[in-house]
Amino acid sequence: MNKEKLKEYRRRAKELVAEMTLEEKVSQTIHGAAAIERLGIKSYNWWNEGLHGVARAGVATVFPQAIGLAATFDEDLLNQVADVISTEARAKFHLQQKCGDTDIYKGLTFWSPNVNIFRDPRWGRGHETFGEDPYLSSRMGVRFIEGLQGDDDNYLKVAACGKHFAVHSGPEEERHSFDAVVSKQDMFETYLPAFEACVKEGKVEAIMGAYNRTNGEPCCGSKTLLKDILRDFWGFEGHVVSDCWAIKDFHEHHKVTSSAVESVAMAMENGCDLNCGSLFLYLTEAVNRGMVSEERLNEAVENLMMTRLKLGVFDEQEKIPFNKITYKDNDTREHKELNFTASRKSFVLLKNKDNLLPLDKNKIKTIGIIGPNSNNRKALVGNYEGTASRYYTITEGIQDYLGEDVRVMVSEGCHLCRPKVSGLGQENDRISEVRGVCEESDVIIACMGLDSSLEGEEGDEGNEFASGDKPNLSLPGLQEEVLKEIYQSGKPVVLVILSGSALAVTWADEHIPAILEGWYPGAQGGRALASVLFGEYSPEGKLPVTFYRTSEELPDFRDYDMKGRTYRYMKQDALYPFGYGLSYTDITVSGVSLSQNTVVEGEAITVKAVLKNTGTMKGAETLQVYVKSCHPDTPNAQLKAFKKVELNPGEEKEVALTLSDRSFGLRDEKGDLVLFQGDYLVYTGTQQPDARSMELTGKVPECMTVTAADQVVLEACCI
């Protein structure tokens, strides 16, 4: 934003706060902020959600869940999706304000994106994130924020919020009392980079604290996180909001304070400006008792007024460029088509033996669709979702695509996780129907996986697993048993997994010829999937998480040490690796070059490569660059640059990517970012350079060596 405009907003914010009484100031620090009519301040509800579309406020475009958006490996697409979300936010806000509707989920402050690291596939909220890699999460997070907040010099389109700061990824059932103990090395190498990028590059307007403690301090009242790192080291200038009712956890569950007034004092004094909840009403008492300085309270309210000024809510409405957006700009045909594009770009083809896919509808008379996710709307949308004006389940999408040309037979197959579908039925009460569909069909689409009733947030309504975390990585209930029955029919089988996380589908990998991961693909999911299954488009997604072979190989869920976790630190072969995904066409990489073979502080290296579509079908591929230090006891090769490229058959394009000096830096035990002396391997290709990826694809990334002549501390740790 324009610097002079920011100065003006800060001046106006100070003037507004100077006119407020103590009670009025306190009334602005809770998410349901009161009106101050004498100052022209309307009531405002700060709580709004928009992980993959405007949520919980009626009809809006419901995009694929965040984990599916991450699988596109397409920064530009993320930016377009977020731009549509902010357009619909303004469209709905325009109508709501016109009608005097200031309810929850009706504001312009959106508590997204979630840039926590998906360190363990059992975590129920992992599908809200951009996956397990700090670099991918950083890039996706920054571009999503930029799309939400817009590029106007004077006003924010909406205000984005990076959450949950900072070390938060389960266990959900203990989040109100859990202490995530983490080393400085892991903190700055894994858990903080995406937040830092959101603050420094994305200029995110807000940061939300997490429920848990980190190294003994409750995150929403952590001096280390909120003051030392966020404000002082990164220079964050927006506002900090607590997670919802997290501050009462200080005294009720974390036991770091003994009363509500002590808890609000700890949160406010350590940098929390806004309380999702109502406990900050105790601030009046805290200030009067000298537990919180009025100067600090003034600062908090000024930060909040700054956000509202940036959104233009106090200005003459004709000055706001976004007020040209009206309700007719919500849920448009163009938005639905972008949703369709995002959905079909998110699908990851995991296996395709003998090129079973794409299917040729001209060679099929009857197709069977079997499984609990075949007609499950919940498996389209994940959580924090809006309401679509039209949903396409997998069954509906295939039925619409095939029309009357091919007979479509369907069966739920089994319940998603229980032993029977009908309450009074016997166990496995749909198995005869499964056999009948298999017998009559030429090919079977098996639709298995999860939905947000099985993986989600602690306290979510309808959680089958109580906390929202998964107990293991297996297909729940009778799904694998039904899948084996389908396989026994001898018919060609395509397994479509709808889930927000990795599943250990080891048996399926050994027996089922074609497997496709569909995530929670949004309201257009079935329509998009049909277009990919039948070859209108080639799959182009890549895994933003590792698929493991077993639940048993995972480290203790409660251990936040990164050793043995994710592709960056695991020693064993994955079932399906991070960065992996097949295509219907073949795109090759050649002509890889580096601008220099030395790593020097303050200098960047340019990586160039030529991608060529040598297949017969239009497709897209992600050029991926990984860096591995030859210094002992360092992580595996890590993603440091990527670019999505679309190519027609026979077409080739040269791509240039940049590696900064920080791309080669590693955190030591003190948390310092160190450029170690010695050699680094730079891998350039369409996958990570692990043995399993090479086994699955038959491709080997190009490897080049660069050298750092001296050991240099690129950045000293701030704590």
Side-chain angles (χ1 to χ4, degrees):
M1 293 186 71
N2 182 290
K3 289 184 178 180
E4 291 304 312
K5 198 69 175 176
L6 290 174
K7 288 181 182 178
E8 177 198 330
Y9 287 155
R10 182 60 68 180
R11 175 186 58 77
R12 289 173 62 186
K14 287 180 179 293
E15 290 173 354
L16 275 172
V17 174
E19 292 295 315
M20 296 180 191
T21 66
L22 173 60
E23 288 74 16
E24 286 171 337
K25 284 183 277 194
V26 169
S27 75
Q28 299 305 297
T29 65
I30 59 175
H31 76 265
I36 307 176
E37 292 181 5
R38 66 185 185 84
L39 298 180
I41 297 174
K42 295 181 180 179
S43 62
Y44 182 76
N45 199 302
W46 290 83
W47 189 343
N48 211 343
E49 307 285 358
L51 278 177
H52 56 117
V54 180
R56 302 175 176 177
V59 170
T61 303
V62 181
F63 289 97
Q65 177 62 298
I67 194 71
L69 293 173
T72 68
F73 273 62
D74 192 331
E75 294 181 65
D76 294 337
L77 177 68
L78 262 286
N79 189 257
Q80 293 169 353
V81 165
D83 180 57
V84 165
I85 294 171
S86 58
T87 293
E88 296 197 349
R90 280 284 179 174
K92 295 171 81 65
F93 184 73
H94 184 272
L95 173 68
Q96 291 151 358
Q97 290 291 299
K98 187 176 173 182
C99 297
D101 185 356
T102 59
D103 197 8
I104 192 170
Y105 313 127
K106 306 289 178 67
L108 293 172
T109 41
F110 282 79
W111 292 345
S112 55
N114 181 341
V115 292
N116 290 129
I117 295 300
F118 197 178
R119 69 184 177 97
D120 192 301
R122 290 168 292 198
W123 185 35
R125 299 190 71 178
H127 55 102
E128 300 175 25
T129 77
F130 297 128
E132 69 183 40
D133 181 69
Y135 182 77
L136 178 64
S137 298
S138 298
R139 301 320 320 148
M140 295 305 197
V142 167
R143 296 303 301 281
F144 192 83
I145 289 163
E146 289 173 346
L148 285 180
Q149 297 191 162
D151 55 8
D152 189 82
D153 283 343
N154 299 318
Y155 296 101
L156 293 175
K157 197 174 180 187
V158 305
C161 173
K163 65 184 185 184
H164 311 83
F165 194 55
V167 184
H168 177 67
S169 50
E172 280 295 300
E173 66 181 352
E174 299 177 29
R175 67 182 185 175
H176 299 286
S177 59
F178 189 75
D179 186 15
V181 178
V182 61
S183 68
K184 288 184 180 180
Q185 185 174 35
D186 284 340
M187 175 86 84
F188 285 90
E189 195 156 75
T190 297
Y191 295 111
L192 293 185
F195 286 99
E196 182 176 11
C198 290
V199 169
K200 290 184 175 180
E201 295 180 62
K203 306 299 181 185
V204 70
E205 183 63 18
I207 291 289
M208 175 181 280
Y211 283 112
N212 54 280
R213 281 171 287 152
T214 294
N215 295 335
E217 295 180 319
C219 294
C220 294
S222 168
K223 176 182 180 297
T224 302
L225 291 173
L226 303 184
K227 294 178 77 172
D228 299 345
I229 297 174
L230 183 63
R231 294 284 187 193
D232 297 343
F233 193 53
W234 294 347
F236 177 64
E237 295 181 347
H239 70 268
V240 173
V241 57
S242 76
D243 210 335
C244 299
W245 294 280
I247 292 171
K248 70 184 180 70
D249 290 338
F250 292 11
H251 55 280
E252 290 187 2
H253 301 294
H254 293 306
K255 306 295 185 183
V256 296
T257 57
S258 58
S259 65
V261 69
E262 286 182 14
S263 295
V264 301
M266 171 181 273
M268 176 60 69
E269 281 294 301
N270 284 315
C272 184
D273 303 309
L274 179 67
N275 176 204
C276 179
S278 56
L279 214 67
F280 263 14
L281 294 176
Y282 280 94
L283 280 169
T284 303
E285 179 183 349
V287 171
N288 287 331
R289 290 172 58 182
M291 299 167 73
V292 171
S293 69
E294 193 154 4
E295 290 76 17
R296 167 62 197 125
L297 177 61
N298 291 346
E299 177 186 74
V301 181
E302 284 172 20
N303 289 339
L304 298 175
M305 293 299 111
M306 277 287 288
T307 299
R308 293 175 73 173
L309 285 161
K310 290 177 188 177
L311 290 167
V313 296
F314 298 145
D315 287 353
E316 296 172 13
Q317 293 308 292
E318 58 268 18
K319 289 183 178 180
I320 316 302
F322 308 118
N323 281 352
K324 296 173 184 175
I325 300 170
T326 63
Y327 192 67
K328 73 178 187 301
D329 299 306
N330 182 58
D331 190 39
T332 67
R333 181 171 61 185
E334 292 78 14
H335 295 176
K336 290 174 183 176
E337 284 308 301
L338 179 65
N339 193 14
F340 171 84
T341 299
S343 185
R344 62 105 175 154
K345 282 177 171 284
S346 71
F347 300 135
V348 183
L349 183 59
L350 300 175
K351 184 181 178 183
N352 195 20
K353 185 179 179 182
D354 299 328
N355 294 318
L356 175 58
L357 293 174
L359 300 174
D360 185 347
K361 70 176 184 178
N362 296 316
K363 295 180 180 179
I364 300 171
K365 292 183 178 180
T366 303
I367 189 168
I369 308 175
I370 300 172
N373 274 342
S374 60
N375 212 24
N376 182 5
R377 283 187 177 182
K378 204 174 187 70
L380 296 178
V381 297
N383 66 357
Y384 286 91
E385 76 278 15
T387 303
S389 56
R390 171 74 160 92
Y391 296 89
Y392 295 86
T393 64
I394 305 307
T395 296
E396 291 167 334
I398 293 173
Q399 287 171 331
D400 285 2
Y401 183 86
L402 295 175
E404 299 300 319
D405 297 336
V406 178
R407 172 83 184 271
V408 179
M409 301 186 74
V410 300
S411 173
E412 191 174 1
C414 61
H415 188 275
L416 201 63
C417 64
R418 298 172 189 164
K420 54 188 176 182
V421 175
S422 298
L424 298 179
Q426 295 181 348
E427 187 170 315
N428 210 353
D429 54 346
R430 294 292 183 269
I431 198 65
S432 59
E433 185 177 73
V434 168
R435 290 170 183 155
V437 171
C438 289
E439 185 176 334
E440 299 297 333
S441 299
D442 300 315
V443 62
I444 307 295
I445 310 297
C447 302
M448 307 296 180
L450 310 167
D451 68 15
S452 58
S453 71
L454 301 185
E455 55 177 354
E457 187 171 4
E458 180 266 341
D460 274 354
E461 192 176 339
N463 266 336
E464 294 278 357
F465 293 152
S467 70
D469 295 327
K470 294 186 299 187
N472 54 57
L473 305 186
S474 302
L475 284 168
L478 301 177
Q479 290 187 54
E480 187 161 300
E481 186 175 333
V482 170
L483 185 60
K484 289 177 178 177
E485 186 72 34
I486 296 168
Y487 170 74
Q488 289 296 329
S489 73
K491 300 296 176 70
V493 183
V494 178
L495 172 60
V496 175
I497 304 167
L498 299 187
S499 68
S501 57
L503 291 166
V505 287
T506 310
W507 183 90
D509 178 65
E510 293 170 354
H511 296 88
I512 304 301
I515 304 175
L516 191 144
E517 173 60 55
W519 313 108
Y520 298 137
Q524 294 279 329
R527 177 174 168 241
L529 183 69
S531 73
V532 170
L533 288 176
F534 292 97
E536 295 287 331
Y537 300 95
S538 174
E540 60 183 76
K542 302 289 185 179
L543 290 181
V545 290
T546 299
F547 274 50
Y548 297 86
R549 293 180 179 276
T550 67
S551 306
E552 288 69 32
E553 65 191 287
L554 296 173
D556 187 324
F557 189 23
R558 292 164 177 78
D559 184 357
Y560 271 72
D561 190 327
M562 285 304 297
K563 183 179 179 181
R565 292 192 181 281
T566 75
Y567 83 97
R568 295 160 61 235
Y569 300 97
M570 63 190 291
K571 301 299 182 186
Q572 74 278 25
D573 283 343
L575 178 63
Y576 302 121
F578 173 90
Y580 164 72
L582 300 174
S583 172
Y584 294 158
T585 191
D586 188 26
I587 296 177
T588 61
V589 178
S590 63
V592 178
S593 66
L594 304 179
S595 59
Q596 61 191 56
N597 58 9
T598 56
V599 187
V600 181
E601 183 182 9
E603 295 184 9
I605 295 176
T606 300
V607 183
K608 290 185 178 180
V610 175
L611 277 71
K612 182 174 182 179
N613 187 343
T614 60
T616 59
M617 184 176 181
K618 182 180 179 179
E621 184 56 272
T622 303
L623 184 68
Q624 303 175 43
V625 179
Y626 292 79
V627 173
K628 172 73 178 87
S629 170
C630 295
H631 194 77
D633 299 321
T634 52
N636 300 329
Q638 302 186 73
L639 182 70
K640 294 298 179 181
F642 64 91
K643 178 67 176 178
K644 174 65 71 70
V645 181
E646 293 187 356
L647 295 165
N648 291 312
E651 185 181 8
E652 65 178 47
K653 291 180 182 177
E654 185 178 67
V655 179
L657 295 170
T658 301
L659 298 175
S660 71
D661 54 355
R662 293 177 70 96
S663 301
F664 299 89
L666 293 164
R667 296 286 176 173
D668 64 12
E669 291 181 355
K670 296 183 295 182
D672 293 344
L673 183 65
V674 179
L675 178 63
F676 289 105
Q677 183 183 34
D679 291 341
Y680 293 80
L681 303 178
V682 178
Y683 296 95
T684 306
T686 56
Q687 66 201 48
Q688 62 161 305
D690 64 307
R692 178 62 173 159
S693 293
M694 289 186 270
E695 175 191 351
L696 288 167
T697 65
K699 296 184 177 183
V700 180
E702 185 78 29
C703 179
M704 294 184 172
T705 303
V706 296
T707 305
D710 302 301
Q711 181 163 312
V712 180
V713 176
L714 298 174
E715 179 182 276
C717 183
C718 63
I719 57 174

